[in-house]
Amino acid sequence: MGSQITVRLDDRLASALNTAAEKTGFRRSDIVRFALARFLEERSEPEESPLFSRVRDLLGSVESGVPDLGEAHREHLERRFRRRG
């Protein structure tokens, strides 16, 4: 294992961590590592493809004329493919 850090927890968080460790059988340090890894993974920015970076500013800037396109996109696509097929 690499680095070591010290973290201060308030009583509520420490109690919740202890309870989770008892229920799961994991060590407290394992739970903190899992939580930190998940936090960092969720907040990491995905690498942009060159194509995406070229059109990023255009996304959402064109009106489709279909008011429920975001909510009913599947139905609109199915209708479009039926017409072509």
Side-chain angles (χ1 to χ4, degrees):
M1 193 67 41
S3 299
Q4 179 177 343
I5 64 169
T6 300
V7 179
R8 298 195 190 283
L9 306 175
D10 62 31
D11 291 340
R12 182 191 60 80
L13 197 53
S15 176
L17 179 59
N18 289 334
T19 300
E22 290 171 8
K23 286 183 178 179
T24 62
F26 288 112
R27 294 179 305 195
R28 295 179 326 154
S29 58
D30 291 331
I31 295 171
V32 171
R33 265 192 297 278
F34 294 151
L36 180 58
R38 184 170 182 179
F39 174 85
L40 295 173
E41 183 178 301
E42 288 176 357
R43 276 147 185 82
S44 68
E45 294 186 23
E47 291 186 27
E48 292 183 357
S49 70
L51 179 58
F52 177 76
S53 63
R54 290 172 54 194
V55 299
R56 174 183 36 221
D57 296 333
L58 299 174
L59 297 176
S61 65
V62 177
E63 179 64 39
S64 69
V66 181
D68 66 340
L69 183 59
E71 298 158 1
H73 63 278
R74 182 181 188 106
E75 291 81 11
H76 290 292
L77 285 172
E78 288 174 350
R79 217 174 301 128
R80 171 73 55 115
F81 286 129
R82 272 190 239 122
R83 273 191 255 150
R84 289 185 181 177

